Amino acid sequence: SQKIEQNSEALNIQEGKTATLTCNYTNYSPAYLQWYRQDPGRGPVFLLLIRENEKEKRKERLKVTFDTTLKQSLFHITASQPADSATYLCALDGAGGFKTIFGAGTRLFVKA
Amino acid sequence: NAGVTQTPKFQVLKTGQSMTLQCAQDMNHNSMYWYRQDPGMGLRLIYYSASEGTTDKGEVPNGYNVSRLNKREFSLRLESAAPSQTSVYFCASSEEGGNQPQHFGDGTRLSIL
């Protein structure tokens, strides 16, 4: 069955450093990959979408890579701030599909 | 601009009771979705509506029904609640076409005793 793996252990980093979160998947060939942010008690908020033919995408301090050979996406937050502390979800989509598959998320703590 | 609004925010039910969760969006989106989120698990799709007038099953549809009332509103109904349906339920919407970023509400926290 299709499976998405995100590190279940929380990631703790110091303010100003780069946070790198990993999303691995198996038994799936997604056409699109998305990253969302979720704060406690709130719904997920869309951050970035990357297509299978794109290697990298950037938005302000955020960078996403998508390696379809390794079946992996990396999500980077540069110059991290305490306000970046949240859970980050990886999500996969097939082409033209509505049945998005979400990972369980990785909790990020940025210490001042 | 409220985005996606879900009601109620919290609810406690007894086993066997029925309930309808409401969702409305004001972004003129064609597609709407219902997910459940359980501890340690990713969001799981219950049902979706690609466009007004259509609904389709997701990964975990058993025990649920949905109604796409109009373009703005998409409701989720539990006919006979079971403890296994204790969860946080999220509604989302997106522009038509699939593979679009989804906009989520802040969820309904449902406990079934």
Side-chain angles (χ1 to χ4, degrees):
Chain A
S1 62
Q2 300 161 347
K3 191 174 179 182
I4 300 178
E5 289 183 351
Q6 293 188 258
N7 195 339
S8 59
E9 291 183 14
L11 178 62
N12 291 281
I13 65 167
Q14 200 68 32
E15 183 177 10
K17 300 293 187 184
T18 296
T20 299
L21 285 69
T22 304
C23 174
N24 296 299
Y25 59 91
T26 56
N27 299 324
Y28 200 55
S29 295
Y32 299 81
L33 189 146
Q34 303 181 45
W35 283 88
Y36 290 78
R37 168 185 173 139
Q38 187 173 23
D39 291 288
R42 305 297 300 274
V45 174
F46 170 75
L47 297 174
L48 282 168
L49 180 151
I50 186 167
R51 295 172 173 77
E52 62 177 336
N53 60 352
E54 297 176 315
K55 295 289 186 189
E56 181 180 300
K57 201 153 196 179
R58 293 174 185 259
K59 178 182 175 183
E60 297 173 352
R61 295 185 296 112
L62 309 180
K63 184 178 85 171
V64 173
T65 63
F66 191 10
D67 189 326
T68 56
T69 301
L70 290 178
K71 294 187 180 295
Q72 182 181 79
S73 174
L74 299 178
F75 177 78
H76 305 273
I77 306 174
T78 58
S80 59
Q81 305 165 1
D84 294 325
S85 299
T87 296
Y88 291 86
L89 311 178
C90 168
L92 305 179
D93 266 321
F98 292 87
K99 295 185 178 181
T100 307
I101 301 172
F102 283 82
T106 297
R107 189 82 169 92
L108 172 67
F109 292 98
V110 181
K111 293 196 303 183
Chain B
N1 191 350
V4 177
T5 302
Q6 293 184 236
T7 55
K9 295 189 186 306
F10 302 92
Q11 185 70 47
V12 179
L13 294 178
K14 293 182 180 177
T15 299
Q17 287 185 317
S18 62
M19 165 146 200
T20 299
L21 308 186
Q22 306 286 355
C23 175
Q25 52 92 9
D26 62 3
M27 295 172 283
N28 201 34
H29 285 163
N30 285 307
S31 303
M32 297 185 73
Y33 312 78
W34 275 105
Y35 293 90
R36 61 178 288 173
Q37 187 175 42
D38 300 294
M41 301 183 71
L43 291 158
R44 290 185 291 168
L45 183 64
I46 304 171
Y47 272 93
Y48 68 97
S49 172
S51 59
E52 187 178 357
T54 70
T55 61
D56 285 287
K57 295 179 181 179
E59 179 186 356
V60 289
N62 291 344
Y64 306 95
N65 286 302
V66 291
S67 295
R68 184 73 183 266
L69 305 170
N70 48 55
K71 189 171 184 179
R72 291 187 61 247
E73 298 173 287
F74 188 37
S75 64
L76 178 72
R77 182 161 178 84
L78 287 69
E79 290 291 351
S80 179
S84 62
Q85 294 179 303
T86 293
S87 188
V88 182
Y89 291 85
F90 288 100
C91 176
S93 69
S94 72
E95 296 182 14
E96 189 173 15
N99 306 132
Q100 299 289 337
Q102 296 181 30
H103 299 258
F104 286 82
D106 281 336
T108 294
R109 283 142 189 84
L110 182 61
S111 292
I112 300 163
L113 307 176

